[in-house]
Amino acid sequence: MGNSLDSARFLINSRLSDALRGDDDACYDLGVAYSTGTNGAEYDLIEAHKWFNLAAVAGHVAAQAARAEIADDMPARDIAVAQRAARAIIAQAQRRAA
């Protein structure tokens, strides 16, 4: 059991690293993980929306659909929190690039 948990954490950490470098597939994968509570991620629709949103902004079609789907199950306040978090990641990436 410990080995599979370590494996799941490694997967999340590696996808997180890729996502923060702008990999839209990694963002989508994180959205899936958080929206389903799999691969070492806890079920968290705010986190899922954030990652789907980042992938969607980059043009990831499946992420656009997934973001819309989970938004139907979220209150507006939670969506706003997720959007602020996504904007913060975008701003951080822009500062690093400058």
Side-chain angles (χ1 to χ4, degrees):
M1 172 95 170
N3 205 14
S4 64
L5 184 57
D6 289 342
S7 215
R9 284 187 186 133
F10 175 77
L11 177 67
I12 289 295
N13 288 336
S14 73
R15 296 315 279 160
L16 180 59
S17 177
D18 293 340
L20 292 174
R21 283 196 304 272
D23 182 330
D24 61 321
D25 287 323
C27 291
Y28 176 77
D29 291 345
L30 287 169
V32 170
Y34 282 106
S35 68
T36 59
T38 58
N39 294 322
E42 291 188 29
Y43 178 77
D44 185 336
L45 289 183
I46 293 173
E47 278 295 302
H49 191 285
K50 174 182 78 175
W51 293 113
F52 284 143
N53 195 35
L54 289 166
V57 166
H60 197 288
V61 176
Q64 294 167 359
R67 177 186 60 187
E69 185 177 325
I70 67 166
D72 288 341
D73 296 330
M74 297 173 68
R77 175 172 285 172
D78 287 353
I79 293 170
V81 169
Q83 289 172 333
R84 278 193 301 275
R87 283 193 300 270
I89 289 173
I90 292 168
Q92 183 181 17
Q94 289 172 341
R95 283 192 299 273
R96 276 193 304 243

